[in-house]
Amino acid sequence: MSSTLPVWRKNLYICCAATFIVSIGMSQMAPILPLYIAELGIEAPADIARWAGIIFGCNFISLAIFSPIWGRLSDRVGRKPMILRASGWLGLIMIGMGFAQSVWHLVILRLLQGCLSGFQAAVIPLLAQETPKEHSGWAMGMFFTSQVSGGLMGPIFGGWLSEIIGFRNSFLLIGCCCLLGFIALTQVRETKHPAPSKTATEPQPSFWQLDQHNAIIGVFVTTILLHFSLSCVSPILTVYVQEIAGNIDHIALISGAVFSASGFASMLFASRLGNLADHIGSERILFACLLLSGLAYIPQGFVTAPWQLGLLRFFNGIAIAGLMPSTNNLIRQLSPAPLMGRIFGINQSAQFIGMFTGAFFGGQLVALLGIRNLFLIVASLLILNACWCRLRIFRTTP
């Protein structure tokens, strides 16, 4: 039956499988990172929170710089070489993190990771160009479902695995998972290749000449604020679980379960919300999910038990299930083919800028104001972003 599938569906399924494998590996890192930092000699909880934010976010600096470069190059040489480069490099860096001897080694490796990585920045443009427009929302939802499904399994698996084989061996396994994804991606077929080199001298369309450039800029800004809000919380969630749970056994496993609650919800709802976006418009899904996410963050600052936090993270995951595919699908709908790679690259830079600033300032805000107040700040940003999105993107989106 697989021989009767159109190429775009085969590519989608291969990319989803590879993304699932990579996400399992990558999502193991977040809940065990504070514990790994403590093993490397950092003892004070405030210092652990600071270093977790720095290490988690520092690779987004280099990703933000290099993503537009790789996106522009993919417009010239093709998407598949960029996918293989990103996935292979990611696996090697994760293996290297298993041999780190200090927190500074982790910082350097995370910076190097961003220089040649950018896995999503490579995969999403390929899926966008190969998938028919009438199915793009569903395809982006499927891709995000595979991503969050791996993210769902990763924290629980990583927390359990770290108790059995240790943190260092867990990072080695993360790297092996990423290299398995690299092998799967060698089977991708790219049917829409870059234009011949003779057209390089012809004038190319300018971003500022696009009729919908205001809407695209609105998506960029929304991407920054969205990922800033998400990355504020992720590096310190394990610390928060430990604070509300007290001194209990299996803290890594419990933290992994809280992490996975959001991913489980996203897995259930991403393709459904993507399909709904194909019918009512991604801009409406984006607005509704931003508002839901902001409202779900408010009570997270008042929880008294890990199960309460996990339940609220589940509702937050429903919102994330609509946010990620909607931003990518809006760019897919608004971007002309000659500029698609670089516009996706710029959007990935916006994502990484939000991730870095969120991870870095989240740790600092926790040290200054406490973890509970951080959730209220994040909620305010998301609700304001929803209102701004309603005014900016709705008016300029056909």
Side-chain angles (χ1 to χ4, degrees):
M1 180 178 294
S2 61
S3 60
T4 64
L5 288 176
V7 172
W8 70 268
R9 282 188 179 270
K10 291 180 182 178
N11 287 340
L12 175 64
Y13 296 150
I14 292 172
C15 290
C16 285
T19 300
F20 177 75
I21 295 172
V22 170
S23 295
I24 288 179
M26 291 299 296
S27 62
Q28 293 180 63
M29 185 174 67
I32 68 173
L33 182 58
L35 305 175
Y36 190 33
I37 291 171
E39 185 177 283
L40 292 174
I42 306 300
E43 298 180 355
D47 291 336
I48 291 175
R50 286 192 181 96
W51 277 108
I54 292 171
I55 293 170
F56 192 79
C58 67
N59 82 304
F60 301 133
I61 299 175
S62 48
L63 280 169
I65 295 171
F66 283 92
S67 285
I69 297 174
W70 296 124
R72 188 181 184 91
L73 188 60
S74 71
D75 287 333
R76 297 181 178 179
V77 304
R79 320 294 184 191
K80 183 175 178 179
M82 299 296 103
I83 293 175
L84 297 177
R85 169 195 52 76
S87 58
W89 180 249
L90 189 61
L92 296 176
I93 288 293
M94 289 297 105
I95 291 174
M97 292 180 71
F99 296 97
Q101 299 299 312
S102 74
V103 289
W104 285 106
H105 292 164
L106 295 179
V107 170
I108 293 171
L109 287 168
R110 290 282 285 175
L111 285 171
L112 289 175
Q113 177 185 331
C115 292
L116 290 176
S117 188
F119 178 74
Q120 290 186 37
V123 174
I124 293 175
L126 183 136
L127 293 178
Q129 75 174 10
E130 297 286 337
T131 304
K133 274 195 173 184
E134 62 271 17
H135 299 294
S136 60
W138 173 79
M140 291 300 175
M142 285 290 294
F143 176 77
F144 186 64
T145 297
S146 65
Q147 184 181 7
V148 298
S149 298
L152 167 67
M153 295 182 60
I156 294 180
F157 183 64
W160 170 76
L161 194 66
S162 65
E163 294 187 355
I164 295 177
I165 65 175
F167 300 120
R168 295 186 182 278
N169 290 329
S170 296
F171 277 101
L172 296 179
L173 187 59
I174 290 173
C176 292
C177 288
C178 294
L179 293 178
L180 286 175
F182 168 82
I183 294 173
L185 288 165
T186 59
Q187 304 303 309
V188 166
R189 289 180 57 195
E190 185 176 5
T191 62
K192 298 179 180 179
H193 298 284
S197 58
K198 65 180 181 180
T199 64
T201 58
E202 298 179 4
Q204 297 296 317
S206 169
F207 173 80
W208 300 105
Q209 294 173 341
L210 300 179
D211 293 336
Q212 306 302 328
H213 72 271
N214 283 331
I216 296 175
I217 292 173
V219 175
F220 292 161
V221 175
T222 300
T223 297
I224 292 175
L225 294 177
L226 166 62
H227 287 89
F228 175 88
S229 302
L230 294 175
S231 298
C232 273
V233 174
S234 294
I236 50 85
L237 198 58
T238 299
V239 180
Y240 189 40
V241 171
Q242 197 165 25
E243 177 182 306
I244 60 179
N247 294 323
I248 59 174
D249 296 330
H250 311 295
I251 189 65
L253 186 60
I254 294 173
S255 299
V258 173
F259 265 89
S260 296
S262 177
F264 182 69
S266 296
M267 180 187 68
L268 293 178
F269 288 91
S271 60
R272 292 177 174 86
L273 291 174
N275 188 52
L276 182 61
D278 286 332
H279 293 86
I280 69 172
S282 294
E283 69 278 4
R284 291 178 171 83
I285 298 295
L286 186 67
F287 167 73
C289 289
L290 278 171
L291 192 60
L292 173 61
S293 184
L295 295 176
Y297 266 109
I298 294 175
Q300 291 181 45
F302 300 96
V303 297
T304 58
W307 71 265
Q308 298 170 355
L309 182 61
L311 180 62
L312 291 168
R313 297 292 295 174
F314 180 89
F315 286 105
N316 195 66
I318 297 175
I320 296 172
L323 291 173
M324 302 296 189
S326 294
T327 53
N328 289 321
N329 193 37
L330 278 170
I331 292 179
R332 165 68 177 88
Q333 299 288 347
L334 297 170
S335 302
L339 295 179
M340 187 178 296
R342 71 190 71 174
I343 290 177
F344 268 111
I346 295 171
N347 190 61
Q348 287 296 303
S349 288
Q351 174 180 334
F352 299 137
I353 290 170
M355 286 180 171
F356 169 72
T357 55
F360 180 80
F361 288 107
Q364 312 310 311
L365 289 172
V366 167
L368 292 174
L369 304 175
I371 295 178
R372 294 183 182 273
N373 289 325
L374 178 65
F375 287 97
L376 303 181
I377 295 172
V378 168
S380 301
L381 283 174
L382 288 169
I383 293 172
L384 289 173
N385 189 191
C387 297
W388 186 87
C389 169
R390 181 67 175 84
L391 296 173
R392 180 78 175 187
I393 298 179
F394 266 62
R395 293 181 180 180
T396 52
T397 303

